[in-house]
Amino acid sequence: MHKALLIFGTRPEAIKMAPLFLELKKSKHFEPIVVVTAQHREMLDQVLKIFNIEPDFDLDIMKPGQSLEGITIRALEGLCNIIKRVNPSIVLVQGDTTTTYVGALAAFYHKIAVGHVEAGLRTYDKFNPYPEEINRKMTTCLADLHFAPTITSFNNLIKENVKKEDIYITGNTVIDSLLHISKRDYDFPPILNSIINSPLRKILVTAHRRENWDEMKNIFQAIKKLVENFDDIHIIFPVHMNPKIRFDAQNILGNNSRVSLLEPLDYEAFIHVMKNCYLILTDSGGVQEEAPSLGIPVVVMRKTTERPEALKANAVVLSGTDGEKIYDTAARLLSDKTFYLSMKKKLNPYGDGRASFRILRSLEYFFKLSSERPEDFRYDYDDNLISET
Ligand code: UD1
Ligand code: UDP
């Protein structure tokens, strides 16, 4: 049995590593071992609970208002100790957080092979998103196997001279999770039930990006203006636990009967809220991948995106972070039915729910347990465009 050490620390990494953990657990060749840095605490634990994962090691590094250097130092030391103790055949990291980069670095320091899940996403803008663009580039330098979700990310890696044979196009594991969780029966808890069943159009909001911290006030002002000018909308905003975001959100959007500022929702609740929304306003990476497969239009409140696929398919629109632009884009989607319907399409450029399976098959191939390279994930835009409801 090969020991595969899965390292993750934040909510989105956990959501995207959970299906891979479950797939590895079924394999006769690999023993998955989970170490969480717990760069996030409550938001990570929500995901562990939903997927029923009990970490083998928990570094518990989170501190309120933590700095990038703080997370880096605490995670690096803790992860090096675990890697020495476990001596895995491979370390698997996901995405572009500080835990991701530091996990790959710790593995490299101990000469352990690294597999990078969700490799090759790029904006080519050092500070957008910050620090994720550099985290993922550095992870690419350290990785031995690159699990690119799409052809676009494959091409980005090729441009950086990553060897073609080291890249596997797998789809994004987020779609594995989405399909796994959304097929379960679900009843909303009372707090959500009354909002979801109201006749108002629901707009889901999430915001957390570090490079947007200085613009959060403008972003929240734009949302407040939407509520003032459209009396048939209700904002559902599960607020990230970062104290800075909470403070601005509460100050600007608190005490409004058509704005629900909620605690972070567990993944299952969040997906079902997404399904019931008219529109999503977000700066999240994961939400940009999930929403198109649920057929919900998205306004991406960021200057750049490393996920051009849904943009190209016109299922999401990039508004930038300027308050007026966000307001204008969302207001148009609320009042121009033709524009709205042109964006309301169900499509999935990011995966088909078999990414974890392909990653497992790639690992078998890498360790010469199989002589067959798995087939790449392919998405054909034209075949998959299903227009409006
Ligand atoms: C981190 C990642 C970002 C990812 C995001 C997903 C880095 C540098 N940033 O950003 O790439 O998109 O997670 O959400 O890796 N907090 C809690 N409880 C929690 C989680 C966070 O209280 O469960 C608060 C703490 O005060 C913490 C702060 O939020 O210090 C910020 O957390 P941190 O992980 O540093 O940054 P995020 O903005 O969450
Ligand atoms: N999510 C969740 N509860 C919430 C908000 C988001 O479970 O209240 C999920 C969402 O479905 C997606 C992931 O968290 O899979 C995105 O996390 P986040 O936006 O924090 O990080 P990013 O994807 O931007 O790195």
Side-chain angles (χ1 to χ4, degrees):
M1 287 279 253
H2 287 282
K3 287 182 187 168
L5 189 69
L6 283 75
I7 296 177
F8 51 93
T10 65
R11 169 173 67 192
E13 292 165 80
I15 290 169
K16 291 170 171 181
M17 284 295 242
L20 180 55
F21 169 78
L22 298 175
E23 195 68 45
L24 287 164
K25 234 171 78 166
K26 288 191 278 179
S27 156
K28 59 179 191 299
H29 298 302
F30 293 95
E31 179 196 355
I33 299 172
V34 170
V35 49
V36 293
T37 59
Q39 175 182 330
H40 283 176
R41 185 71 277 169
E42 299 86 345
M43 287 159 57
L44 171 74
D45 292 344
Q46 280 183 323
V47 185
L48 295 174
K49 192 164 160 219
I50 292 278
F51 286 94
N52 212 2
I53 297 174
E54 279 184 33
D56 298 277
F57 303 95
D58 188 333
L59 302 178
D60 199 22
I61 66 164
M62 196 197 84
K63 297 215 189 311
Q66 60 205 2
S67 65
L68 294 178
E69 57 272 28
I71 325 170
T72 305
I73 291 163
R74 292 192 293 280
L76 186 60
E77 188 158 44
L79 289 173
C80 282
N81 287 335
I82 305 288
I83 288 172
K84 269 190 271 178
R85 197 160 140 193
V86 174
N87 191 25
S89 304
I90 186 146
V91 160
L92 296 168
V93 293
Q94 194 286 333
D96 51 20
T97 72
T98 296
T99 290
T100 314
Y101 160 54
V102 172
L105 183 63
F108 166 69
Y109 283 164
H110 294 277
K111 298 192 175 154
I112 307 290
V114 176
H116 185 199
V117 179
E118 197 186 83
L121 277 64
R122 296 288 186 268
T123 60
Y124 302 103
D125 181 342
K126 188 174 176 180
F127 291 104
N128 271 297
Y130 166 78
E132 291 83 1
E133 177 71 3
I134 294 300
N135 281 347
R136 56 197 174 210
K137 277 188 152 172
M138 292 192 293
T139 306
T140 294
C141 294
L142 297 163
D144 301 278
L145 289 95
H146 309 259
F147 303 114
T150 65
I151 294 191
T152 310
S153 42
F154 168 87
N155 287 335
N156 291 341
L157 293 169
I158 293 290
K159 273 191 256 163
E160 291 170 26
N161 296 323
V162 177
K163 281 195 226 133
K164 191 174 173 210
E165 57 270 28
D166 296 339
I167 314 174
Y168 300 83
I169 308 178
T170 60
N172 199 308
T173 54
V174 77
I175 305 301
D176 304 14
S177 286
L178 182 71
L179 299 180
H180 177 75
I181 296 293
S182 63
K183 69 179 180 221
R184 296 186 193 167
D185 288 336
Y186 184 75
D187 291 320
F188 282 111
I191 182 168
L192 288 173
N193 208 27
S194 54
I195 307 171
I196 295 294
N197 287 319
S198 91
L200 301 176
R201 289 187 285 178
K202 270 67 71 179
I203 302 187
L204 178 62
V205 174
T206 81
H208 72 84
R209 301 234 79 86
R210 244 168 228 267
E211 71 277 9
N212 288 352
W213 280 2
D214 291 339
E215 332 227 22
M216 280 300 166
K217 287 194 185 72
N218 301 337
I219 292 177
F220 297 157
Q221 289 292 357
I223 293 165
K224 189 175 176 198
K225 189 169 158 195
L226 283 172
V227 179
E228 284 162 1
N229 290 351
F230 291 86
D231 57 12
D232 69 334
I233 63 169
H234 189 114
I235 304 289
I236 306 176
F237 184 1
V239 188
H240 190 286
M241 293 190 77
N242 185 327
K244 186 167 164 41
I245 311 288
R246 300 209 137 195
F247 182 80
D248 289 343
Q250 188 57 45
N251 254 356
I252 297 168
L253 293 166
N255 300 322
N256 189 317
S257 61
R258 283 187 292 113
V259 179
S260 298
L261 297 181
L262 306 174
E263 289 301 315
L265 295 172
D266 71 52
Y267 186 52
E268 196 165 14
F270 189 79
I271 286 173
H272 288 278
V273 170
M274 269 202 281
K275 277 186 178 174
N276 282 277
C277 276
Y278 179 85
L279 180 64
I280 299 176
L281 310 183
T282 190
D283 65 6
S284 163
V287 174
Q288 285 179 67
E289 294 155 344
E290 293 160 339
S293 72
L294 299 173
I296 312 296
V298 178
V299 176
V300 180
M301 303 185 291
R302 291 175 49 180
K303 294 193 177 90
T304 55
T305 181
E306 57 291 275
R307 292 165 171 90
E309 295 87 351
L311 200 61
K312 182 173 157 196
N314 189 35
V316 312
V317 56
L318 198 63
S319 67
T321 52
D322 178 77
E324 255 175 65
K325 291 223 178 80
I326 293 171
Y327 175 84
D328 289 346
T329 312
R332 185 167 175 215
L333 280 160
L334 284 165
S335 45
D336 180 342
K337 192 85 185 169
T338 312
F339 179 50
Y340 178 77
L341 289 178
S342 74
M343 279 186 64
K344 187 163 178 61
K345 51 189 90 160
K346 212 169 181 176
L347 73 169
N348 215 326
Y350 298 108
D352 57 1
R354 288 165 52 80
S356 306
F357 176 71
R358 290 192 188 89
I359 293 173
L360 169 64
R361 298 298 316 281
S362 314
L363 290 171
E364 288 171 354
Y365 182 71
F366 178 76
F367 284 108
K368 302 194 171 28
L369 301 163
S370 150
S371 55
E372 248 179 87
R373 225 186 125 90
E375 289 217 348
D376 287 340
F377 163 69
R378 296 269 161 188
Y379 176 77
D380 186 323
Y381 282 85
D382 298 330
D383 284 350
N384 286 279
L385 286 177
I386 308 165
S387 346
E388 70 254 53
T389 50

